Amino acid sequence: MITLRGLTKRHGDTVAVDGLTLDIEDGQVTGFLGPNGAGKSTTMRMILGLDRPTAGRALIDGKPYASLRHPVREVGSLLDAKALHPGRPARSHLIAQARSNGIPVRRVDEVLETVGLATVARRRAGAFSLGMYQRLGIAGALLGDPKVLILDEPVNGLDPDGVRWVRQLVRAQAAQGRTVFLSSHLMSEMQLTADRLVVIGRGRLLADTPMAELLAASASASVRVRTAGPDDLRALTDRLLAHDGVSAEPAPSPGGERNEIVVRGRTAGEIGDLAHRLGIRLHQLHSVSASLEQVYMELTEHSVEYATRTEKA
Ligand code: ADP
């Protein structure tokens, strides 16, 4: 488990990370999101003892990184896949890492196999594609068979097959009870991968929530409702619209059906109960979650450092 308490980092007048307090739990994948410059890398660097906090603490299983006895066996990390000697073969790079941490060489071959680089292990890393660099970086993170994995943009540069592989890998690691903390700009992928999300903007915590809750609570989440006939639909719509913060619009329907509406601001359960009280028969009641991309945009609307405008035609 990773524990952050009031974690803060200032660079002169810039507050890179501003009082983060949260727990990143074992046995699940926690996604870490935020616009560029939000403070994600700085947070990860402080957890890994590479940046010193201005205030607050970052602990791994209750201890600061610097006081871990066998750091590489306790925490595996990938921050910058390209930060390695380009002239060295991939296998030698991992062997050097293994030797300096008391890890047997046989483990190097194991992780090379796991990440799919066994056949190119003797090639210079400098000749690798970005995707291969990422796989090598992940191999390095897995080397010590650590309980905690911290991965910054691990799927950057991977092809769809590689992206899926990372998803399966981190989900399997979490299923074994490990702590996985990863950032990514690929929202649809994050939605499939993470159990929980931590979102920051301008260094501050914007959300720390299970994925399902975050998607369900979004203003973009909706419920599709179909009644037996148009009169019922009208009666139900009128009652729903009598409440503030509720919208009900005709559902887009290619067949021109008129018995369906899209409701926002009420859950499927609340709508079902209301219909029951009014004696209205429902033929369909279907919750539609927001996409993570929509929720993320809503959350970070006021936190983007480099905002762009969509030009009107
Ligand atoms: P992210 O990883 O979310 O893109 P960073 O953690 O890299 O964000 O940066 C957070 C903020 O801190 C940014 O405004 C960045 O410019 C600033 N920053 C990061 N590192 C330094 C540094 N060494 N010196 C000055 N400012 C920094």
Side-chain angles (χ1 to χ4, degrees), residues 3-56:
T3 314
L4 310 184
R5 291 291 175 269
L7 189 68
T8 302
K9 180 71 183 180
R10 287 194 203 93
H11 295 286
D13 288 343
T14 309
V15 186
V17 176
D18 195 356
L20 287 188
T21 292
L22 59 112
D23 295 330
I24 300 153
E25 305 276 353
D26 300 345
Q28 54 184 14
V29 177
T30 302
F32 194 25
L33 300 178
N36 289 338
K40 301 180 298 296
S41 303
T42 308
T43 302
M44 286 179 159
R45 289 177 58 80
M46 287 193 283
I47 298 170
L48 293 165
L50 297 167
D51 264 347
R52 184 188 286 273
T54 312

Side-chain angles (χ1 to χ4, degrees), residues 29-269:
V29 177
T30 302
F32 194 25
L33 300 178
N36 289 338
K40 301 180 298 296
S41 303
T42 308
T43 302
M44 286 179 159
R45 289 177 58 80
M46 287 193 283
I47 298 170
L48 293 165
L50 297 167
D51 264 347
R52 184 188 286 273
T54 312
R57 288 175 299 163
L59 305 175
I60 294 166
D61 288 334
K63 293 187 205 121
Y65 186 90
S67 65
L68 296 177
R69 285 189 59 192
H70 303 289
V72 174
R73 295 199 210 166
E74 291 174 70
V75 194
S77 66
L78 166 64
L79 290 192
D80 177 3
K82 289 213 154 183
L84 49 88
H85 194 305
R88 235 185 212 177
R91 189 167 180 272
S92 311
H93 164 74
L94 290 175
I95 288 177
Q97 231 178 303
R99 288 227 168 97
S100 56
N101 289 287
I103 295 165
V105 171
R106 118 179 87 75
R107 177 71 186 152
V108 168
D109 293 313
E110 243 171 61
V111 293
L112 281 166
E113 202 64 56
T114 305
V115 303
L117 291 179
T119 55
V120 293
R122 287 180 166 79
R123 278 202 218 156
R124 283 187 319 107
F128 277 9
S129 66
L130 178 56
M132 289 159 88
Y133 264 108
Q134 292 285 25
R135 286 173 186 265
L136 182 56
I138 293 170
L142 295 174
L143 200 57
D145 199 18
K147 273 182 60 196
V148 176
L149 273 176
I150 298 178
L151 308 172
D152 196 5
E153 297 281 348
V155 299
N156 197 6
L158 288 174
D159 60 13
D161 183 52
V163 170
R164 204 171 117 212
W165 167 72
V166 172
R167 185 200 317 153
Q168 289 166 346
L169 175 85
V170 298
R171 296 233 38 94
Q173 294 280 316
Q176 290 167 4
R178 297 173 211 254
T179 310
V180 183
F181 189 43
L182 88 171
S183 71
S184 173
H185 278 102
L186 285 186
M187 293 293 146
S188 52
E189 186 50 34
M190 192 60 110
Q191 189 170 346
L192 293 173
T193 308
D195 303 293
R196 193 177 180 89
L197 277 174
V198 170
V199 186
I200 63 171
R202 298 186 192 275
R204 295 207 179 154
L205 191 65
L206 299 176
D208 173 18
T209 323
M211 175 78 76
E213 262 179 44
L214 192 71
L215 299 182
S218 158
S220 312
S222 61
V223 182
R224 270 180 97 111
V225 186
R226 191 192 306 156
T227 56
D231 292 343
D232 281 350
L233 192 71
R234 209 169 305 117
L236 183 64
T237 306
D238 288 348
R239 277 296 287 271
L240 283 165
L241 291 178
H243 296 274
D244 284 344
V246 181
S247 75
E249 291 161 10
S253 150
E257 269 216 64
R258 308 288 281 280
N259 295 347
E260 220 171 291
I261 48 172
V262 176
V263 181
R264 291 192 172 81
R266 282 290 177 272
T267 65

